[in-house]
Amino acid sequence: MTLFVLFLVLYYVLITGSMLAFLPSLPVIVLASVFYLLPLLLHSWLLVKCKSKEELLKYGITLPVLSMVSYTAFAYFSENLGLWQLFVERNTVVSDEMTVQIAQSPMELSQLAFAFILYSSISVVHYYIKLQKIKRKLLMLTINHLSKQFKGNDFYSLRDVSLTIKKGEIVGLIGKNGAGKSTLMKLIAKSLKPSQGEIYYKDIDLHSKENLLQDVGIMIDPVFYPDMTVEDNLKFYLQLHGKTNLYPNIEKTLKLVELWEARKRKPKGFSFGMKQRTALAIALVAEPNFLILDEPFVGLDPIGVQKLITILKEWSSKRQISMLISSHQLSELEALCDRYLYIKEGHLADQFNAMDGTKLLVHLAEEGIIEDLQPYLSEYIRMDGNCLEIATICPQEKLNNLFTMLGRQQLIKSIDIKENQLKQIFSQGD
């Protein structure tokens, strides 16, 4: 930002100085400000305010063009309205103290080209710097070449793992038992120290500063005070984090995990499932900005699972909370996650988007109708031979339009479900 401001100051000094030297009349200077300097100042202010790549693209490219149009309009009006001739003799302006040589035209081609090149260069530099800042701001978690070798082992439990998680993204962590999922989560939670590699949370090295995980909700192993009631455990957690103003969250959180009726009981006598739900309640109650959840669906009945999935998706979309969730309950992950990471024998073996999961297959009754279907194809609806592959997250309007057309022309031969990619990955090597 400082570099950009310095560039702008220098640029405005040069342009304004040239205008004052060559355009000594007040009407011309006012006209220059309206057509040229004000658009440039507006452009600069909008660039500083940009908060997304889309805004940056819009303001970083379109406004310089508009500014140059204004620049050209200024040149046209200043000459054709006679403002130049009102205050300037053809070759010189004579004052009591000095004679100033003036150009024949207020806006020579060389000056216009110089201004365009200089301003475009400034815009490109600032565009790049701002884009990098936006990218870093969107990343909640960055992991570079992370490895963990436990003392006494001649092998790595986690080896050379690199990944990123964006703001508001829900990422499913999948893999067989012993693959390294819990090790990865514990490294992120700082309960383990990495052998090699780096972890950045909000672009800050996790091990460079204390209390960076204050706004992270963590449920890996059930952690609570067994001799305190469930309700007191949540109150103590909120007190510890200085969030006593969130006491009203306790009731709705315990109802979400189906422990409200057991709020006065002590967890030491709970079943494994109830202990899991207690730990889940502690992770959720403080309204975190990032969630790390290991088997969050254990112990919940089907209604409870659906309620949890709904609230987590709502948090992701409305509050932009990021989540890393590990579970063997693949159907629940498919209903929740945007993207998946597959850990195999300590390595990040694969990563893919949710769209690559379950698909609806529509087998067509006729061949060679690709041209008729072309308007309906998209990132959600693809053609594979004589079959349509439809992602389960396809928008309602697209589905209705497609099936209306297929039904009207009686093109549906049969409908099938494509085996989801999560199950396919788990079956590899068995």
Side-chain angles (χ1 to χ4, degrees):
M1 183 60 67
T2 304
L3 179 63
F4 177 62
V5 171
L6 289 175
F7 267 122
L8 279 180
V9 169
L10 176 61
Y11 178 65
Y12 290 144
V13 167
L14 288 174
I15 295 300
T16 306
S18 67
M19 285 183 174
L20 290 175
F22 290 111
L23 312 178
S25 64
L26 182 61
V28 176
I29 293 174
V30 170
L31 190 66
S33 298
V34 171
F35 278 101
Y36 186 56
L37 290 179
L38 287 182
L40 290 182
L41 289 170
L42 173 64
H43 179 216
S44 306
W45 180 79
L46 287 172
L47 280 178
V48 171
K49 293 292 182 181
C50 285
K51 293 182 179 179
S52 68
K53 290 188 290 185
E54 291 76 16
E55 289 181 356
L56 202 57
L57 185 64
K58 179 170 66 176
Y59 297 134
I61 294 177
T62 58
L63 279 175
V65 175
L66 292 177
S67 295
M68 296 315 300
V69 170
S70 295
Y71 192 100
T72 306
F74 161 67
Y76 172 81
F77 282 112
S78 65
E79 290 192 77
N80 287 275
L81 293 181
L83 293 174
W84 182 260
Q85 285 79 11
L86 284 175
F87 295 89
V88 181
E89 295 292 337
R90 182 170 180 79
N91 294 311
T92 61
V93 172
V94 180
S95 66
D96 295 337
E97 300 175 355
M98 60 181 293
T99 300
V100 182
Q101 189 70 28
I102 306 175
Q104 294 278 339
S105 169
M107 292 296 148
E108 292 181 351
L109 183 62
S110 59
Q111 185 183 1
L112 183 64
F114 171 76
F116 182 79
I117 293 171
L118 180 60
Y119 188 71
S120 298
S121 301
I122 296 170
S123 296
V124 168
V125 170
H126 182 252
Y127 181 90
Y128 177 78
I129 295 172
K130 188 77 175 181
L131 184 60
Q132 298 309 309
K133 287 184 178 180
I134 289 175
K135 284 182 176 179
R136 288 198 297 269
K137 188 175 181 181
L138 289 175
L139 290 178
M140 292 293 285
L141 184 73
T142 303
I143 295 176
N144 296 324
H145 306 291
L146 190 66
S147 299
K148 178 62 182 177
Q149 183 179 29
F150 289 97
K151 189 176 181 180
N153 290 347
D154 58 356
F155 62 91
Y156 281 83
S157 299
L158 202 70
R159 187 64 182 260
D160 197 29
V161 170
S162 297
L163 60 93
T164 59
I165 297 179
K166 299 176 183 177
K167 191 175 182 65
E169 190 176 29
I170 305 178
V171 178
L173 184 62
I174 59 175
K176 299 176 183 178
N177 290 329
K181 303 187 301 297
S182 294
T183 300
L184 175 59
M185 288 183 149
K186 289 176 180 178
L187 287 167
I188 298 171
K190 292 182 70 174
S191 60
L192 290 176
K193 191 172 182 180
S195 302
Q196 290 101 33
E198 304 155 329
I199 305 173
Y200 294 90
Y201 180 64
K202 294 181 179 178
D203 209 30
I204 302 174
D205 189 335
L206 203 59
H207 295 277
S208 67
K209 198 174 180 181
E210 296 296 326
N211 299 319
L212 278 179
L213 300 178
Q214 283 276 14
D215 62 346
V216 178
I218 300 170
M219 175 200 161
I220 301 175
D221 295 320
V223 177
F224 45 75
Y225 287 95
D227 290 312
M228 292 173 61
T229 67
V230 173
E231 187 175 26
D232 287 342
N233 264 284
L234 268 64
K235 285 183 177 179
F236 179 73
Y237 180 82
L238 290 173
Q239 289 172 3
L240 197 64
H241 289 79
K243 297 183 177 181
T244 54
N245 60 305
L246 296 180
Y247 275 175
N249 285 358
I250 293 176
E251 180 177 350
K252 62 182 180 182
T253 303
L254 290 178
K255 285 182 177 179
L256 174 65
V257 300
E258 302 171 353
L259 283 177
W260 178 245
E261 301 300 326
R263 65 188 182 280
K264 301 298 183 183
R265 292 174 56 187
K266 297 177 180 179
K268 64 180 181 180
F270 283 179
S271 65
F272 174 75
M274 291 181 73
K275 289 178 179 178
Q276 285 284 100
R277 283 184 277 155
T278 302
L280 177 59
I282 292 172
L284 299 177
V285 72
E287 297 184 355
N289 290 320
F290 195 101
L291 277 171
I292 303 172
L293 304 177
D294 191 7
E295 298 293 350
F297 308 111
V298 171
L300 293 174
D301 64 26
I303 295 177
V305 168
Q306 188 55 51
K307 284 165 61 179
L308 178 60
I309 289 173
T310 301
I311 194 69
L312 292 180
K313 291 179 78 170
E314 184 178 309
W315 283 7
S316 170
S317 61
K318 293 184 178 179
R319 292 173 47 201
Q320 290 292 290
I321 293 177
S322 305
M323 306 176 202
L324 179 63
I325 302 175
S326 174
S327 178
H328 288 107
Q329 295 176 242
L330 303 183
S331 58
E332 280 75 9
L333 284 183
E334 286 178 332
L336 179 61
C337 296
D338 305 311
R339 186 163 60 91
Y340 303 97
L341 306 172
Y342 176 50
I343 302 291
K344 182 178 181 181
E345 297 176 354
H347 294 269
L348 180 57
D350 196 8
Q351 52 183 314
F352 50 93
N353 295 326
M355 276 185 56
D356 299 324
T358 304
K359 290 188 177 121
L360 182 68
L361 301 181
V362 179
H363 301 277
L364 302 176
E366 296 181 17
E367 296 184 3
I369 58 170
I370 183 66
E371 291 185 3
D372 296 335
L373 291 171
Q374 197 67 42
Y376 300 91
L377 301 182
S378 67
E379 57 181 322
Y380 304 102
I381 304 170
R382 297 171 185 166
M383 193 80 175
D384 184 12
N386 201 39
C387 178
L388 286 171
E389 289 190 359
I390 306 173
T392 53
I393 60 172
C394 182
Q396 178 183 354
E397 183 180 357
K398 291 182 180 291
L399 284 174
N400 287 331
N401 292 339
L402 174 65
F403 279 99
T404 297
M405 187 277 291
L406 293 176
R408 187 184 299 119
Q409 299 188 31
Q410 297 186 347
L411 293 175
I412 301 175
K413 181 178 181 181
S414 62
I415 295 178
D416 200 359
I417 298 292
K418 183 177 181 179
E419 189 73 13
N420 63 71
Q421 192 166 350
L422 300 188
K423 290 182 180 179
Q424 289 179 354
I425 288 177
F426 265 82
S427 66
Q428 291 174 2
D430 289 344

